[in-house]
Coordinates of all heavy atoms in Angstrom, one line a residue:
M1 N 122.3 112.4 116.5 CA 121.4 111.2 116.5 C 120.0 111.7 116.3 O 119.2 110.9 115.6 CB 121.5 110.5 117.9 CG 122.8 109.8 118.1 SD 123.2 108.6 116.9 CE 122.2 107.2 117.4
R2 N 119.6 112.8 116.8 CA 118.2 113.3 116.5 C 117.9 113.5 115.1 O 116.9 113.2 114.6 CB 117.9 114.6 117.3 CG 118.0 114.3 118.8 CD 117.7 115.5 119.6 NE 116.2 115.6 119.6 CZ 115.5 116.6 120.1 NH1 116.1 117.6 120.7 NH2 114.2 116.6 120.0
T3 N 118.9 114.1 114.4 CA 118.8 114.3 112.9 C 118.6 113.0 112.2 O 117.7 112.9 111.3 CB 120.0 115.1 112.4 OG1 120.2 116.3 113.1 CG2 119.9 115.4 110.9
I4 N 119.4 112.0 112.5 CA 119.2 110.7 111.9 C 117.9 110.1 112.1 O 117.2 109.6 111.2 CB 120.4 109.8 112.3 CG1 121.7 110.3 111.9 CG2 120.1 108.4 111.8 CD1 122.9 109.6 112.4
D5 N 117.4 110.3 113.4 CA 116.1 109.7 113.7 C 115.0 110.4 112.9 O 114.0 109.8 112.5 CB 115.8 109.9 115.2 CG 116.7 108.9 116.0 OD1 117.1 107.9 115.5 OD2 116.9 109.2 117.2
R6 N 115.1 111.8 112.8 CA 114.1 112.5 112.0 C 114.1 112.1 110.6 O 113.0 112.0 109.9 CB 114.3 114.0 112.2 CG 113.8 114.6 113.4 CD 113.8 116.1 113.4 NE 115.1 116.6 113.2 CZ 115.9 117.1 114.1 NH1 115.5 117.2 115.4 NH2 117.1 117.6 113.9
I7 N 115.3 111.9 110.0 CA 115.4 111.5 108.6 C 114.8 110.1 108.4 O 114.1 109.9 107.4 CB 116.9 111.6 108.1 CG1 117.3 113.0 108.1 CG2 117.0 110.9 106.8 CD1 118.8 113.3 107.8
K8 N 115.1 109.2 109.3 CA 114.5 107.9 109.2 C 113.0 107.9 109.3 O 112.3 107.3 108.5 CB 115.1 107.0 110.3 CG 116.5 106.5 110.0 CD 117.0 105.4 110.9 CE 116.7 105.6 112.4 NZ 117.4 104.6 113.3
K9 N 112.5 108.7 110.2 CA 111.0 108.8 110.3 C 110.4 109.4 109.1 O 109.4 108.9 108.6 CB 110.7 109.7 111.5 CG 109.3 109.9 111.8 CD 109.0 110.7 113.0 CE 107.5 110.9 113.2 NZ 107.2 111.9 114.3
R10 N 111.0 110.5 108.5 CA 110.5 111.0 107.3 C 110.5 110.0 106.1 O 109.6 110.0 105.3 CB 111.3 112.3 106.9 CG 110.6 113.5 107.3 CD 111.4 114.7 106.8 NE 110.7 115.2 105.5 CZ 111.2 116.1 104.7 NH1 112.4 116.6 104.9 NH2 110.5 116.4 103.6
F11 N 111.6 109.2 106.1 CA 111.7 108.2 105.0 C 110.6 107.2 105.1 O 109.9 106.9 104.1 CB 113.1 107.5 105.1 CG 113.2 106.4 104.1 CD1 113.4 106.6 102.8 CD2 113.2 105.1 104.6 CE1 113.5 105.6 101.9 CE2 113.3 104.0 103.7 CZ 113.5 104.3 102.3
V12 N 110.3 106.8 106.3 CA 109.2 105.8 106.5 C 107.8 106.4 106.2 O 107.0 105.8 105.5 CB 109.2 105.2 107.9 CG1 108.0 104.4 108.2 CG2 110.5 104.4 108.1
E13 N 107.6 107.6 106.6 CA 106.3 108.3 106.5 C 106.1 108.8 105.1 O 104.9 108.8 104.6 CB 106.1 109.4 107.5 CG 106.0 108.9 108.9 CD 106.0 110.0 110.0 OE1 106.1 111.2 109.6 OE2 105.8 109.7 111.2
E14 N 107.1 109.4 104.5 CA 106.8 110.2 103.2 C 107.5 109.6 102.0 O 107.2 109.9 100.9 CB 107.3 111.6 103.4 CG 106.5 112.3 104.5 CD 107.0 113.7 104.8 OE1 107.6 114.3 104.0 OE2 106.7 114.2 105.9
G15 N 108.6 108.8 102.2 CA 109.2 108.2 101.1 C 110.6 108.8 100.8 O 111.0 109.7 101.4
F16 N 111.3 108.1 99.8 CA 112.7 108.5 99.5 C 112.8 109.9 98.9 O 113.7 110.6 99.3 CB 113.2 107.4 98.5 CG 114.7 107.6 98.2 CD1 115.6 107.4 99.1 CD2 115.0 108.1 96.9 CE1 117.0 107.6 98.8 CE2 116.4 108.3 96.6 CZ 117.3 108.0 97.6
E17 N 112.0 110.3 98.0 CA 112.1 111.6 97.4 C 112.0 112.8 98.4 O 112.7 113.8 98.2 CB 111.0 111.8 96.3 CG 111.2 110.8 95.1 CD 112.5 111.1 94.4 OE1 112.9 112.2 94.2 OE2 113.2 110.1 94.0
F18 N 111.1 112.6 99.3 CA 110.9 113.7 100.3 C 112.1 113.8 101.3 O 112.3 114.9 101.8 CB 109.6 113.5 101.1 CG 108.4 113.7 100.3 CD1 107.7 112.6 99.7 CD2 107.9 115.0 100.0 CE1 106.6 112.8 99.0 CE2 106.8 115.2 99.2 CZ 106.1 114.1 98.7
V19 N 112.8 112.8 101.5 CA 114.0 112.8 102.4 C 115.1 113.6 101.7 O 115.8 114.3 102.4 CB 114.4 111.4 102.7 CG1 115.7 111.4 103.5 CG2 113.3 110.7 103.5
L20 N 115.2 113.5 100.4 CA 116.3 114.2 99.7 C 116.1 115.7 99.6 O 117.1 116.5 99.5 CB 116.5 113.6 98.3 CG 116.9 112.1 98.2 CD1 117.0 111.7 96.8 CD2 118.2 111.9 98.9
E21 N 114.8 116.2 99.6 CA 114.6 117.6 99.5 C 114.3 118.2 100.8 O 113.7 117.6 101.7 CB 113.3 117.8 98.5 CG 113.6 117.3 97.1 CD 112.4 117.5 96.3 OE1 111.5 118.2 96.7 OE2 112.3 116.9 95.2
R22 N 114.7 119.4 101.0 CA 114.4 120.2 102.2 C 112.9 120.6 102.2 O 112.4 121.0 101.1 CB 115.2 121.4 102.3 CG 116.6 121.0 102.7 CD 117.4 122.3 103.1 NE 118.7 121.9 103.7 CZ 119.2 122.4 104.7 NH1 118.5 123.4 105.3 NH2 120.3 122.0 105.2
K23 N 112.3 120.6 103.3 CA 110.9 121.0 103.5 C 110.9 122.5 103.5 O 111.7 123.1 104.3 CB 110.4 120.4 104.7 CG 108.9 120.7 105.0 CD 108.5 119.9 106.2 CE 107.7 120.8 107.1 NZ 107.3 120.2 108.3
P24 N 110.0 123.2 102.8 CA 109.9 124.6 102.9 C 109.4 125.0 104.2 O 108.7 124.3 104.9 CB 108.9 125.0 101.8 CG 108.2 123.8 101.4 CD 109.1 122.6 101.8
P25 N 109.8 126.2 104.7 CA 109.3 126.6 106.0 C 107.8 126.8 106.1 O 107.2 127.2 105.1 CB 110.0 128.0 106.2 CG 110.6 128.4 104.9 CD 110.6 127.2 104.0
D26 N 107.3 126.5 107.3 CA 105.9 126.5 107.5 C 105.4 127.9 107.8 O 104.3 128.3 107.5 CB 105.4 125.6 108.7 CG 105.7 124.2 108.4 OD1 105.7 123.8 107.2 OD2 105.9 123.4 109.3
R27 N 106.3 128.7 108.4 CA 105.9 130.1 108.8 C 106.1 131.1 107.7 O 107.0 131.0 107.0 CB 106.6 130.5 110.1 CG 106.4 129.6 111.3 CD 107.0 130.1 112.5 NE 108.5 130.2 112.4 CZ 109.3 130.5 113.3 NH1 108.8 130.9 114.5 NH2 110.6 130.5 113.1
E28 N 105.3 132.1 107.7 CA 105.5 133.2 106.9 C 105.7 134.5 107.7 O 105.0 134.7 108.7 CB 104.3 133.5 106.0 CG 104.1 132.5 104.9 CD 103.0 132.8 103.9 OE1 102.8 134.1 103.7 OE2 102.4 131.9 103.3
Y29 N 106.8 135.2 107.4 CA 107.1 136.4 108.2 C 106.6 137.6 107.6 O 106.7 137.8 106.4 CB 108.6 136.5 108.4 CG 109.2 135.3 109.1 CD1 109.7 134.2 108.5 CD2 109.2 135.3 110.5 CE1 110.2 133.1 109.1 CE2 109.7 134.2 111.2 CZ 110.2 133.2 110.5 OH 110.7 132.1 111.2
E30 N 105.9 138.5 108.4 CA 105.4 139.7 107.8 C 106.5 140.7 107.8 O 107.3 140.9 108.8 CB 104.3 140.2 108.8 CG 103.7 141.5 108.3 CD 102.6 141.9 109.3 OE1 102.0 141.1 109.9 OE2 102.4 143.1 109.4
R31 N 106.7 141.5 106.7 CA 107.7 142.5 106.6 C 107.3 143.7 107.4 O 106.1 144.2 107.2 CB 107.9 142.9 105.2 CG 108.7 141.8 104.4 CD 109.0 142.3 103.1 NE 109.6 143.6 103.2 CZ 110.4 144.2 102.3 NH1 110.7 143.5 101.2 NH2 110.9 145.3 102.5
K32 N 108.1 144.2 108.2 CA 107.8 145.5 109.0 C 108.2 146.7 108.2 O 107.7 147.8 108.3 CB 108.5 145.5 110.3 CG 107.9 144.6 111.3 CD 108.5 144.8 112.7 CE 107.8 143.9 113.7 NZ 108.2 144.2 115.0
A33 N 109.2 146.5 107.3 CA 109.8 147.7 106.6 C 109.3 147.6 105.1 O 110.0 147.1 104.3 CB 111.3 147.6 106.7
D34 N 108.2 148.3 104.9 CA 107.7 148.4 103.5 C 108.4 149.7 102.9 O 109.2 150.3 103.6 CB 106.2 148.5 103.4 CG 105.6 149.6 104.2 OD1 106.4 150.4 104.9 OD2 104.4 149.7 104.2
G35 N 108.0 150.1 101.8 CA 108.6 151.3 101.1 C 108.4 152.6 101.9 O 109.4 153.4 101.9
E36 N 107.3 152.7 102.5 CA 107.1 154.0 103.3 C 108.0 154.0 104.5 O 108.6 155.1 104.8 CB 105.6 154.0 103.7 CG 105.2 155.3 104.4 CD 103.7 155.3 104.8 OE1 102.9 154.6 104.1 OE2 103.4 156.1 105.7
V37 N 108.1 152.9 105.2 CA 109.0 152.9 106.4 C 110.4 153.1 105.9 O 111.2 153.8 106.6 CB 108.8 151.6 107.1 CG1 109.9 151.4 108.2 CG2 107.4 151.5 107.7
E38 N 110.8 152.5 104.8 CA 112.2 152.7 104.3 C 112.5 154.1 104.0 O 113.5 154.6 104.3 CB 112.4 151.8 103.1 CG 112.5 150.3 103.4 CD 112.7 149.5 102.2 OE1 112.9 150.0 101.1 OE2 112.5 148.2 102.3
A39 N 111.5 154.8 103.4 CA 111.7 156.2 103.1 C 111.8 157.1 104.3 O 112.7 157.9 104.4 CB 110.5 156.7 102.2
H40 N 111.0 156.8 105.3 CA 111.2 157.5 106.6 C 112.5 157.2 107.2 O 113.1 158.2 107.8 CB 110.1 157.1 107.6 CG 108.7 157.6 107.3 ND1 108.5 159.0 107.2 CD2 107.5 157.0 107.0 CE1 107.2 159.2 106.9 NE2 106.6 158.0 106.8
L41 N 113.0 156.0 107.2 CA 114.3 155.7 107.7 C 115.4 156.4 107.0 O 116.3 157.0 107.7 CB 114.5 154.2 107.7 CG 115.8 153.6 108.2 CD1 115.9 154.0 109.7 CD2 115.9 152.1 108.1
I42 N 115.4 156.4 105.7 CA 116.5 157.1 105.0 C 116.4 158.6 105.3 O 117.5 159.2 105.5 CB 116.3 156.9 103.5 CG1 116.3 155.4 103.2 CG2 117.3 157.6 102.7 CD1 117.5 154.8 102.7
T43 N 115.2 159.2 105.4 CA 115.1 160.6 105.7 C 115.7 160.9 107.1 O 116.4 161.9 107.3 CB 113.6 161.0 105.7 OG1 113.1 160.7 104.4 CG2 113.5 162.5 106.0
L44 N 115.4 160.0 108.0 CA 115.9 160.1 109.4 C 117.4 160.0 109.4 O 118.1 160.8 110.1 CB 115.2 159.1 110.3 CG 115.4 159.2 111.8 CD1 114.9 160.5 112.3 CD2 114.7 158.0 112.5
C45 N 118.0 159.1 108.6 CA 119.4 159.0 108.6 C 120.1 160.2 108.0 O 121.2 160.5 108.5 CB 119.8 157.8 107.6 SG 119.5 156.2 108.3
C46 N 119.5 160.9 107.1 CA 120.1 162.1 106.5 C 119.9 163.3 107.4 O 120.6 164.3 107.2 CB 119.4 162.4 105.2 SG 119.8 161.1 104.0
S47 N 119.1 163.2 108.5 CA 118.9 164.4 109.4 C 120.1 164.4 110.4 O 120.9 163.5 110.5 CB 117.6 164.3 110.1 OG 117.6 163.2 111.0
E48 N 120.1 165.4 111.2 CA 121.1 165.6 112.2 C 120.8 164.6 113.3 O 119.7 164.4 113.7 CB 121.0 167.0 112.8 CG 121.6 168.1 111.9 CD 123.1 167.9 111.6 OE1 123.8 167.6 112.6 OE2 123.5 168.0 110.5
P49 N 121.9 164.0 113.9 CA 121.7 163.0 115.0 C 121.2 163.8 116.3 O 121.4 165.0 116.3 CB 123.0 162.4 115.2 CG 124.0 163.3 114.6 CD 123.3 164.1 113.5
P50 N 120.7 163.1 117.2 CA 120.2 163.8 118.5 C 121.4 164.4 119.2 O 122.6 164.1 119.0 CB 119.7 162.6 119.3 CG 119.6 161.4 118.5 CD 120.4 161.7 117.3
S51 N 121.1 165.4 120.0 CA 122.1 166.1 120.7 C 122.9 165.2 121.6 O 122.2 164.3 122.2 CB 121.6 167.3 121.5 OG 120.6 166.8 122.4
G52 N 124.2 165.3 121.7 CA 125.0 164.4 122.5 C 125.5 163.3 121.7 O 126.3 162.5 122.3
F53 N 125.2 163.1 120.4 CA 125.7 162.0 119.6 C 126.3 162.6 118.4 O 125.8 163.5 117.8 CB 124.5 161.1 119.2 CG 123.9 160.3 120.4 CD1 122.8 160.8 121.0 CD2 124.5 159.2 120.8 CE1 122.3 160.1 122.1 CE2 124.0 158.5 121.9 CZ 122.8 159.0 122.5
A54 N 127.4 162.0 118.0 CA 128.1 162.5 116.8 C 127.4 162.0 115.5 O 127.4 162.7 114.5 CB 129.6 162.1 116.8
R55 N 126.8 160.8 115.6 CA 126.2 160.3 114.4 C 125.1 159.3 114.8 O 125.0 158.9 116.0 CB 127.2 159.6 113.4 CG 127.9 158.5 114.1 CD 128.9 157.9 113.1 NE 129.8 157.0 113.9 CZ 131.0 156.7 113.6 NH1 131.6 157.3 112.5 NH2 131.7 155.9 114.3
W56 N 124.3 158.9 113.9 CA 123.2 157.9 114.2 C 123.8 156.5 114.4 O 124.7 156.1 113.6 CB 122.2 157.9 113.0 CG 121.3 159.1 113.0 CD1 121.4 160.1 112.1 CD2 120.2 159.3 113.8 NE1 120.4 161.0 112.3 CE2 119.6 160.5 113.3 CE3 119.5 158.7 114.8 CZ2 118.5 161.1 113.9 CZ3 118.4 159.2 115.4 CH2 117.9 160.4 114.9
S57 N 123.2 155.8 115.3 CA 123.6 154.4 115.4 C 122.3 153.6 115.0 O 121.2 154.2 114.9 CB 124.0 154.0 116.8 OG 122.9 154.1 117.7
L58 N 122.4 152.3 114.8 CA 121.3 151.5 114.4 C 120.2 151.5 115.5 O 119.0 151.6 115.2 CB 121.7 150.1 114.1 CG 122.7 149.9 112.9 CD1 123.1 148.5 112.7 CD2 122.0 150.4 111.6
R59 N 120.7 151.4 116.7 CA 119.7 151.4 117.9 C 119.0 152.7 118.0 O 117.9 152.8 118.3 CB 120.5 151.0 119.1 CG 120.9 149.5 119.1 CD 121.7 149.2 120.4 NE 122.4 147.9 120.2 CZ 121.9 146.7 120.5 NH1 120.7 146.6 121.0 NH2 122.7 145.7 120.4
L60 N 119.8 153.8 117.8 CA 119.2 155.1 117.9 C 118.1 155.3 116.8 O 117.0 155.9 117.1 CB 120.2 156.2 117.7 CG 121.0 156.7 119.0 CD1 122.1 157.6 118.6 CD2 120.1 157.3 120.0
L61 N 118.4 154.9 115.6 CA 117.5 155.0 114.5 C 116.2 154.1 114.8 O 115.1 154.6 114.6 CB 118.1 154.5 113.2 CG 119.1 155.4 112.6 CD1 119.9 154.7 111.5 CD2 118.4 156.7 112.1
A62 N 116.4 152.9 115.3 CA 115.2 152.1 115.6 C 114.4 152.7 116.7 O 113.1 152.8 116.6 CB 115.7 150.7 116.1
D63 N 115.0 153.3 117.8 CA 114.3 153.9 118.8 C 113.5 155.2 118.3 O 112.4 155.4 118.7 CB 115.2 154.3 120.0 CG 115.7 153.1 120.7 OD1 115.2 152.0 120.6 OD2 116.8 153.2 121.4
K64 N 114.2 155.9 117.5 CA 113.6 157.2 117.0 C 112.4 156.8 116.0 O 111.4 157.5 116.0 CB 114.6 158.0 116.2 CG 114.2 159.4 115.9 CD 114.0 160.2 117.2 CE 113.8 161.6 116.9 NZ 113.7 162.4 118.1
M65 N 112.5 155.7 115.3 CA 111.4 155.3 114.4 C 110.1 155.0 115.2 O 109.0 155.3 114.8 CB 111.8 154.1 113.5 CG 112.9 154.4 112.5 SD 112.3 155.2 111.1 CE 111.3 154.0 110.3
V66 N 110.3 154.4 116.3 CA 109.2 154.0 117.2 C 108.7 155.3 117.9 O 107.5 155.5 118.0 CB 109.6 153.0 118.3 CG1 108.5 152.8 119.3 CG2 110.0 151.7 117.6
E67 N 109.6 156.1 118.3 CA 109.2 157.4 119.0 C 108.4 158.3 118.1 O 107.4 158.9 118.5 CB 110.5 158.1 119.4 CG 110.2 159.4 120.2 CD 111.5 160.1 120.5 OE1 112.5 159.4 120.9 OE2 111.6 161.3 120.4
L68 N 108.7 158.3 116.8 CA 108.0 159.1 115.8 C 106.7 158.4 115.3 O 106.0 159.0 114.5 CB 108.9 159.5 114.7 CG 110.1 160.5 115.0 CD1 111.0 160.6 113.8 CD2 109.5 161.8 115.5
K69 N 106.5 157.2 115.8 CA 105.3 156.4 115.4 C 105.3 156.1 114.0 O 104.2 156.0 113.4 CB 104.1 157.1 115.9 CG 104.0 157.3 117.4 CD 102.6 157.8 117.8 CE 102.6 158.1 119.2 NZ 102.5 158.0 120.3
Y70 N 106.4 155.9 113.4 CA 106.5 155.3 112.0 C 106.1 153.9 112.0 O 105.6 153.3 111.0 CB 107.8 155.6 111.4 CG 108.2 157.0 111.1 CD1 109.5 157.5 111.3 CD2 107.2 157.9 110.7 CE1 109.8 158.8 111.1 CE2 107.5 159.3 110.5 CZ 108.8 159.7 110.7 OH 109.2 161.0 110.5
V71 N 106.5 153.2 113.1 CA 106.3 151.7 113.2 C 106.0 151.5 114.7 O 106.3 152.3 115.6 CB 107.4 150.8 112.8 CG1 107.6 150.8 111.3 CG2 108.7 151.2 113.5
E72 N 105.3 150.4 115.0 CA 105.0 150.0 116.4 C 106.3 149.6 117.1 O 106.6 149.9 118.2 CB 103.9 149.0 116.5 CG 102.5 149.5 116.4 CD 101.5 148.4 116.7 OE1 101.8 147.5 117.5 OE2 100.5 148.5 116.1
S73 N 107.0 148.7 116.4 CA 108.3 148.2 116.9 C 109.2 147.8 115.7 O 108.6 147.4 114.7 CB 108.1 147.0 117.8 OG 107.6 145.9 117.1
I74 N 110.5 148.0 115.9 CA 111.4 147.6 114.9 C 112.7 147.3 115.5 O 113.1 148.0 116.5 CB 111.5 148.7 113.8 CG1 112.3 148.2 112.6 CG2 112.2 150.0 114.4 CD1 112.2 149.1 111.4
S75 N 113.4 146.3 115.1 CA 114.7 146.0 115.7 C 115.8 146.7 114.9 O 115.7 147.1 113.8 CB 114.9 144.5 115.6 OG 115.2 144.1 114.3
Y76 N 116.9 146.8 115.6 CA 118.1 147.5 115.0 C 118.6 146.6 113.8 O 119.1 147.1 112.8 CB 119.2 147.8 116.0 CG 119.9 146.6 116.5 CD1 121.1 146.1 115.8 CD2 119.5 145.9 117.6 CE1 121.7 145.0 116.3 CE2 120.1 144.7 118.0 CZ 121.3 144.3 117.4 OH 121.9 143.2 117.9
E77 N 118.3 145.3 113.9 CA 118.8 144.4 112.8 C 117.9 144.7 111.5 O 118.5 144.7 110.4 CB 118.6 143.0 113.2 CG 119.1 142.0 112.2 CD 120.5 142.1 111.9 OE1 121.3 142.6 112.7 OE2 120.9 141.6 110.8
T78 N 116.7 145.0 111.7 CA 115.8 145.3 110.5 C 116.3 146.7 109.9 O 116.4 146.8 108.7 CB 114.4 145.5 110.9 OG1 113.9 144.2 111.5 CG2 113.5 145.8 109.8
V79 N 116.7 147.6 110.8 CA 117.2 148.9 110.3 C 118.5 148.6 109.5 O 118.7 149.2 108.4 CB 117.5 149.8 111.5 CG1 118.3 151.1 111.1 CG2 116.2 150.2 112.2
R80 N 119.3 147.7 110.0 CA 120.6 147.4 109.3 C 120.3 146.8 107.9 O 121.0 147.2 107.0 CB 121.4 146.4 110.1 CG 122.8 146.1 109.5 CD 123.4 144.9 110.1 NE 122.7 143.7 109.9 CZ 122.8 143.0 108.7 NH1 123.5 143.4 107.7 NH2 122.1 141.9 108.6
R81 N 119.4 145.9 107.9 CA 119.1 145.3 106.6 C 118.5 146.3 105.6 O 118.9 146.2 104.4 CB 118.1 144.1 106.8 CG 118.7 142.9 107.1 CD 117.8 141.7 107.1 NE 117.7 141.2 108.4 CZ 116.6 141.0 109.2 NH1 115.4 141.4 108.7 NH2 116.6 140.6 110.4
V82 N 117.7 147.2 106.0 CA 117.1 148.2 105.1 C 118.3 149.1 104.6 O 118.3 149.4 103.4 CB 116.0 149.0 105.8 CG1 115.7 150.2 105.0 CG2 114.8 148.2 106.1
L83 N 119.1 149.5 105.5 CA 120.2 150.4 105.1 C 121.2 149.7 104.2 O 121.7 150.3 103.2 CB 120.9 151.0 106.3 CG 120.1 151.9 107.2 CD1 120.9 152.4 108.4 CD2 119.6 153.1 106.4
K84 N 121.4 148.4 104.4 CA 122.3 147.7 103.6 C 121.7 147.5 102.2 O 122.4 147.6 101.2 CB 122.6 146.3 104.2 CG 123.6 145.5 103.3 CD 124.0 144.2 104.0 CE 124.9 143.4 103.1 NZ 125.3 142.2 103.7
K85 N 120.4 147.2 102.1 CA 119.7 147.1 100.9 C 119.8 148.3 100.0 O 119.9 148.3 98.8 CB 118.3 146.7 101.1 CG 117.5 146.4 99.9 CD 116.1 145.9 100.2 CE 115.2 147.1 100.3 NZ 113.8 146.7 100.4
T86 N 119.7 149.5 100.7 CA 119.8 150.7 99.9 C 121.2 151.3 99.8 O 121.3 152.4 99.3 CB 118.9 151.8 100.7 OG1 119.4 151.9 102.0 CG2 117.4 151.4 100.7
N87 N 122.2 150.5 100.2 CA 123.6 150.9 100.1 C 123.9 152.2 100.9 O 124.7 153.0 100.5 CB 124.0 151.1 98.6 CG 124.1 149.7 98.0 OD1 124.4 148.7 98.6 ND2 123.7 149.7 96.7
Y88 N 123.1 152.5 101.9 CA 123.4 153.7 102.7 C 124.4 153.3 103.8 O 124.2 152.3 104.5 CB 122.1 154.2 103.4 CG 122.3 155.5 104.1 CD1 122.2 156.7 103.4 CD2 122.5 155.5 105.4 CE1 122.3 157.9 104.0 CE2 122.7 156.7 106.1 CZ 122.6 157.9 105.4 OH 122.8 159.1 106.0
V89 N 125.4 154.1 104.0 CA 126.4 153.9 105.0 C 126.3 154.9 106.1 O 126.3 156.1 105.9 CB 127.8 154.0 104.4 CG1 128.9 153.7 105.5 CG2 127.9 153.0 103.3
L90 N 126.1 154.4 107.4 CA 126.0 155.3 108.5 C 127.4 156.0 108.8 O 128.4 155.4 108.6 CB 125.6 154.6 109.8 CG 124.1 154.2 109.9 CD1 123.9 153.4 111.1 CD2 123.3 155.5 109.9
G91 N 127.4 157.2 109.2 CA 128.6 157.9 109.6 C 129.3 158.6 108.4 O 130.4 159.1 108.6
K92 N 128.7 158.7 107.3 CA 129.4 159.4 106.2 C 128.6 160.5 105.7 O 127.4 160.6 105.9 CB 129.6 158.4 105.0 CG 130.7 157.5 105.2 CD 131.1 156.8 103.9 CE 132.3 155.9 104.2 NZ 132.7 155.3 103.0

């Protein structure tokens, strides 16, 4: 019902053409992983994992990037996206 109400409201306020098209997002997201951060991440992936671990995990990589002060904060999901974009596979 809320969706229908929003569409009716947009139709009255903006017209028929605007109701048919999706509104572009208002927010802009700043990228945390530029080329330099990506290079540090790939270098880190190719290095030996910390003692006690057989291989790097996404969370370990994210924590190590912050620890080495390459970035202020980074989520493991951002690490995953960067590695997927570069076709790097963890554990091989």
Side-chain angles (χ1 to χ4, degrees):
M1 289 306 276
R2 295 185 78 183
T3 303
I4 295 170
D5 291 336
R6 278 193 301 259
I7 291 173
K8 286 192 313 190
K9 182 179 177 186
R10 261 187 96 192
F11 175 73
V12 170
E13 291 176 355
E14 299 175 20
F16 183 71
E17 293 298 320
F18 289 100
V19 173
L20 295 178
E21 296 179 14
R22 285 189 170 225
K23 184 175 132 183
D26 295 334
R27 298 187 296 183
E28 288 189 29
Y29 296 96
E30 181 181 330
R31 286 186 50 155
K32 286 193 177 184
D34 59 359
E36 186 177 337
V37 171
E38 289 177 10
H40 285 300
L41 180 60
I42 303 259
T43 304
L44 192 59
C45 286
C46 295
S47 69
E48 288 294 317
S51 61
F53 295 94
R55 59 181 171 212
W56 286 103
S57 70
L58 297 176
R59 292 178 195 267
L60 277 174
L61 287 168
D63 293 342
K64 192 67 168 180
M65 292 284 289
V66 172
E67 182 183 320
L68 294 173
K69 297 188 186 268
Y70 293 142
V71 290
E72 278 188 33
S73 67
I74 191 167
S75 71
Y76 70 92
E77 183 62 22
T78 302
V79 171
R80 184 195 66 80
R81 275 189 243 123
V82 168
L83 295 178
K84 182 175 181 180
K85 184 176 89 172
T86 58
N87 292 326
Y88 188 85
V89 179
L90 284 175
K92 286 194 175 184

